[in-house]
Amino acid sequence: IPLSKGFLVYRVAEVRTIDNENMKEQARKETEATARGKALDDLRESLVKKHLKLDEALVKKLDFEASKPGIDSYTTDTRPIARIEGEPPITVADLAKAVKDKFFHGVEQAVKDKKASRVNKVRDDLFFELTGRRAFDKEAHLRKLDQNEEYKKAVADFEDSVLFGTFVEKVIKPDISMSDEELKAYYEEHKSEYI
């Protein structure tokens, strides 16, 4: 191995392997996860190329960290950063609104806190996310996946769970109240379940 001054020479004397099923399973899971992630990235990239016309140069010019013109001026900017055939484009305003929503305490606060480089990093991440989502949506629509019975059942199940959760929060939960004495008494009666 070449070093800055000279070389390092080594020799492999022995190769050992450990036959551990847990380690093999963990390695298999990590390999599968990496392969799935790579396949998903490749699919996203191919769908973006297939369905979207991107204006990446415009996105790179958008400086959401600059004090002038300021991110608020971009929230009304209708220039397209991604065009999708037969659908409304993704605009500068869409991206600016997504960036503003990402910062709970406001973009201005992130810039003041000297974390300004984070804002344009978030801009790039959200551009990647928005374009990928739209590409997947377009492909799913073309393949009519929304008309698939399995998909319809999954959507119906999700709607039911959201409705039930909302019902519990709004109707049932407000009626449930226990005093501290009742809670202590319940705990004392069921102490063995908590130990």
Side-chain angles (χ1 to χ4, degrees), residues 48-155:
V48 166
K49 284 180 183 175
K50 179 179 176 182
H51 297 299
L52 281 73
K53 304 275 189 278
L54 305 179
D55 191 345
E56 295 180 58
L58 173 58
V59 173
K60 291 294 179 197
K61 282 193 236 176
L62 302 173
D63 188 359
F64 292 162
E65 300 165 357
S67 57
K68 290 190 180 184
I71 193 167
D72 288 331
S73 67
Y74 291 121
T75 59
T76 57
D77 190 333
T78 58
R79 290 179 291 172
I81 54 175
R83 296 180 188 274
I84 304 104
E85 188 177 324
E87 295 183 24
I90 301 172
T91 64
V92 171
D94 296 329
L95 182 58
K97 288 173 188 166
V99 169
K100 284 187 77 164
D101 290 346
K102 194 76 170 175
F103 288 92
F104 180 74
H105 295 290
V107 174
E108 299 80 12
Q109 188 64 40
V111 172
K112 282 181 195 172
D113 290 346
K114 307 235 186 288
K115 297 176 183 170
S117 61
R118 281 183 39 209
V119 177
N120 282 338
K121 169 79 170 96
V122 167
R123 173 205 66 200
D124 296 341
D125 293 346
L126 288 172
F127 178 66
F128 181 86
E129 187 180 312
L130 289 171
T131 55
R133 188 178 317 136
R134 289 289 289 274
F136 278 113
D137 288 349
K138 179 72 173 180
E139 185 69 16
H141 180 71
L142 290 174
R143 292 184 184 191
K144 299 182 181 183
L145 296 180
D146 58 333
Q147 297 170 14
N148 177 311
E149 288 306 316
E150 189 176 331
Y151 172 79
K152 288 179 181 179
K153 183 179 178 340
V155 169

